[in-house]
């Protein structure tokens, strides 16, 4: 039975990552194809991230307090909303309020679903279903990249509306898998493992000021990364290539992440958490510099090799760093603040990227990302080394 639960949970997570690939890899492409300006595309993506950011604690609270709804059932409901938003996205192709609303909802649901999936594996494990979240996340990364590559090809070869419908198809398949999973698990709502009282956010800020500085520095590293990552299509347009190249770049990027996610514990044991963090911070800078200077698609693909040492390394290293710097009661707050920081970085980058590009041009966008990345990497290194834990 446990093998079946592991398979269903892993499949659902891979499908979610495919949905995230549809949204984030091709979000700006889809909005620009519909006729939105780069500024408006950035605003729409930013609003979607804000909505997801605001709704996360409310959805978590409803899930925790409900006496009937389990987290798997809430995942099904959220995925149903995502499916509806994707269908509306297919129906409305003009750059109007309805199309904007549809994509805002799509982005918000990606954020909400990620938080729920992050909690689901803890709840399943607490109910004696031993799911391998690390392995599922690693294969999810492959799903993200493979589906993004497929989308890149299909957006060039199929009618735009037909290619858009693939987002709805992924949501439908996810609902089916989650429904089967729901019928095969029995989650005890009373098994909440909250015997110890959690500390407040203000207490965490007081107890770990340097950890907060590390998280804030990371947010700006992530901002520099996403300023470019969310708007690859602008660079590709400047080079003169289409969506197939975008899909190929994303596939290579996620393939590079896979080994870092999968063998991180071995890397950490050999080099230590702090060295992993510092190395990854400067790998972001190197990657952004190569992308900025890249004259063609080949060099953009070469830049993705840095993904293994940048995003693929810093994400598990930050989670490990926070776990080491805090005790059991504080870890929940620390990880929540880290997740909120990622959300804030995504919000800020979505809002800034379109405005910078429309008003100052592509070079200004890439230079801004580089400067933010370099400065934040030095601050990040300083605070990582300063921490005594």
């Amino acid at each position: 039975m446990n093998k079946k639960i592991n398979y269903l949970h892993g499949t659902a997570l891979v499908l979610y990552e495919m949905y995230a690939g549809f949204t984030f890899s091709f979000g700006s492409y889809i909005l620009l194809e519909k006729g939105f300006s780069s500024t408006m595309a950035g605003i729409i993506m930013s609003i979607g991230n804000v909505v997801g950011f605001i709704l996360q604690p409310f959805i978590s609270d409803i899930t925790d307090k409900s006496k009937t709804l389990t987290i798997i059932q809430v995942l099904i409901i959220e995925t149903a909303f995502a499916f509806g938003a994707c269908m509306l996205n297919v129906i409305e192709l003009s750059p109007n309020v309805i199309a904007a609303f549809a994509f805002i909802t799509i982005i918000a649901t990606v954020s909400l679903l990620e938080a729920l999936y992050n909690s689901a594996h803890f709840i399943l494990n607490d109910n004696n279903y031993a799911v391998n979240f690390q392995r599922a996340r690693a294969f999810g990364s492959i799903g993200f990249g493979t589906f993004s590559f497929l989308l890149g090809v299909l957006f060039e070869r199929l009618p735009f509306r037909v290619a858009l419908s693939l987002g709805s198809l992924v949501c439908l398949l996810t609902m089916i898998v989650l429904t089967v999973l729901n019928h095969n698990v029995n989650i005890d709502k009373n098994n909440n493992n909250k015997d110890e009282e959690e500390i407040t956010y203000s207490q965490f800020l007081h107890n770990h000021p340097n950890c907060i500085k590390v998280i804030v520095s990371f947010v700006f590293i992530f901002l520099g990364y996403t300023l470019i990552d969310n708007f690859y299509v602008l660079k590709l347009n400047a080079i003169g290539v289409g969506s197939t190249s975008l899909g190929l770049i994303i596939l290579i990027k996620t393939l590079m992440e896979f080994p870092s996610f999968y063998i991180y514990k071995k890397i950490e044991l050999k080099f230590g958490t702090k060295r992993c963090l510092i190395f990854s911070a400067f790998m972001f800078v190197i990657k952004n510099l190569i992308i900025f200077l890249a004259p063609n698609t080949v060099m953009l693909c070469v830049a993705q090799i840095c993904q293994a040492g940048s995003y693929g390394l810093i994400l598990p290293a930050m989670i490990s760093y926070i776990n080491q710097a805090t005790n059991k009661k504080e870890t929940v707050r620390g990880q929540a603040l880290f997740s909120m920081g990622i959300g804030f970085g995504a919000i800020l980058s979505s809002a800034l990227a379109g405005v910078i590009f429309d008003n100052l041009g592509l070079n200004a966008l890439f230079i801004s990302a580089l400067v933010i990345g370099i400065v934040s990497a030095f601050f990040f290194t300083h605070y990582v080394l300063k921490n005594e834990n």
Side-chain angles (χ1 to χ4, degrees):
M1 174 59 78
N2 195 71
K3 187 176 181 180
K4 182 179 181 181
I5 301 305
N6 233 318
Y7 175 76
L8 289 168
H9 169 265
T11 302
L13 194 55
V14 169
L15 286 167
Y16 160 74
E17 290 291 345
M18 290 167 64
Y19 175 57
F22 170 83
T23 305
F24 291 127
S25 300
F26 284 87
S28 56
Y29 174 85
I30 291 169
L31 291 170
L32 292 172
E33 282 293 307
K34 286 191 174 188
F36 290 101
S37 67
S38 296
T39 299
M40 185 54 66
I43 290 171
I44 290 169
M45 294 171 73
S46 181
I47 293 173
N49 281 308
V50 169
V51 172
F53 186 79
I54 292 172
L55 288 180
Q56 272 188 30
F58 292 102
I59 300 298
S60 297
D61 195 47
I62 290 169
T63 307
D64 290 340
K65 292 182 178 179
S66 173
K67 294 181 180 180
T68 55
L69 283 175
T70 67
I71 193 163
I72 305 300
Q73 291 166 340
V74 175
L75 277 167
I76 294 170
I77 294 168
E78 286 294 334
T79 307
F81 274 103
F83 174 76
C86 284
M87 288 301 297
L88 188 58
N89 184 51
V90 172
I91 294 168
E92 189 54 68
L93 297 182
S94 302
N96 55 31
V97 175
I98 297 173
F101 172 78
F103 216 83
I104 286 168
T105 306
I106 288 170
I107 293 172
T109 54
V110 172
S111 176
L112 293 170
L113 285 166
E114 180 176 17
L116 288 169
Y117 277 110
N118 287 343
S119 300
H121 84 279
F122 286 116
I123 293 172
L124 287 169
N125 283 327
D126 288 343
N127 283 269
N128 300 316
Y129 300 106
V131 296
N132 192 328
F133 183 73
Q134 184 179 3
R135 185 173 63 186
R137 181 64 91 180
F139 280 102
S141 180
I142 296 296
F144 184 107
T146 304
F147 190 61
S148 296
F149 175 69
L150 177 64
L151 283 170
V153 174
L154 295 181
F155 270 120
E156 284 195 356
R157 300 187 179 184
L158 293 179
F160 186 57
R161 195 188 298 271
V162 175
L164 278 181
S165 65
L166 291 173
S168 306
L169 178 61
V170 169
C171 290
L172 182 60
L173 291 173
T174 309
M175 284 191 288
I176 293 170
V177 172
L178 287 171
T179 302
V180 176
L181 177 61
N182 183 58
H183 285 302
N184 282 274
V185 296
N186 183 23
I187 295 175
D188 182 5
K189 293 292 289 183
N190 296 316
N191 184 20
N192 52 23
N193 284 332
K194 291 186 179 179
D195 299 327
E196 296 184 29
E197 184 181 352
E198 292 180 356
I199 67 167
T200 63
Y201 284 113
S202 60
Q203 288 173 316
F204 185 91
L205 295 172
H206 180 265
N207 293 345
H208 299 282
N210 198 71
C211 188
I212 294 300
K213 292 173 184 176
V214 171
I215 293 173
V216 171
S217 301
F218 165 80
V219 169
F220 282 94
I221 290 172
F222 187 71
L223 170 62
Y225 165 69
T226 51
L227 276 174
I228 294 175
D229 201 64
N230 287 347
F231 284 85
Y232 263 120
V233 63
L234 300 177
K235 179 71 175 182
L236 293 172
N237 287 342
I239 293 173
V241 294
S243 62
T244 299
S245 296
L246 176 59
L248 177 62
I249 288 167
I250 293 164
L251 175 61
I252 296 171
K253 180 180 76 172
T254 52
L255 287 174
M256 291 299 102
E257 290 173 2
F258 181 82
S260 298
F261 285 157
Y262 204 77
I263 62 168
Y264 172 73
K265 286 299 178 185
K266 292 181 180 179
I267 297 172
E268 185 181 51
L269 285 172
K270 186 170 184 177
F271 298 103
T273 309
K274 290 183 179 181
R275 286 180 181 175
C276 289
L277 287 169
I278 294 167
F279 177 78
S280 60
F282 286 97
M283 283 302 290
F284 276 109
V285 176
I286 293 170
K287 181 185 175 184
N288 284 354
L289 179 61
I290 295 172
I291 293 170
F292 174 53
L293 298 175
N296 51 45
T297 308
V298 174
M299 284 306 297
L300 286 175
C301 291
V302 170
Q304 305 315 310
I305 296 172
C306 298
Q307 190 75 0
S310 55
Y311 186 79
L313 189 60
I314 203 168
L315 200 62
M318 277 297 296
I319 292 169
S320 181
Y321 172 84
I322 294 167
N323 288 344
Q324 294 171 29
T326 59
N327 61 41
K328 188 176 179 180
K329 287 194 297 182
E330 297 168 329
T331 298
V332 175
R333 294 302 184 205
Q335 298 295 353
L337 285 170
F338 175 54
S339 296
M340 290 166 66
I342 292 175
F344 179 75
I347 291 166
L348 197 56
S349 68
S350 296
L352 287 176
V355 174
I356 294 172
F357 175 75
D358 278 345
N359 292 281
L360 299 174
L362 186 64
N363 285 341
L365 175 62
F366 280 73
I367 291 170
S368 299
L370 269 172
V371 171
I372 292 170
I374 292 168
V375 174
S376 55
F378 279 105
F379 275 101
F380 183 75
T381 300
H382 171 71
Y383 292 126
V384 166
L385 292 175
K386 183 179 178 182
N387 196 284
E388 296 178 357
N389 292 303

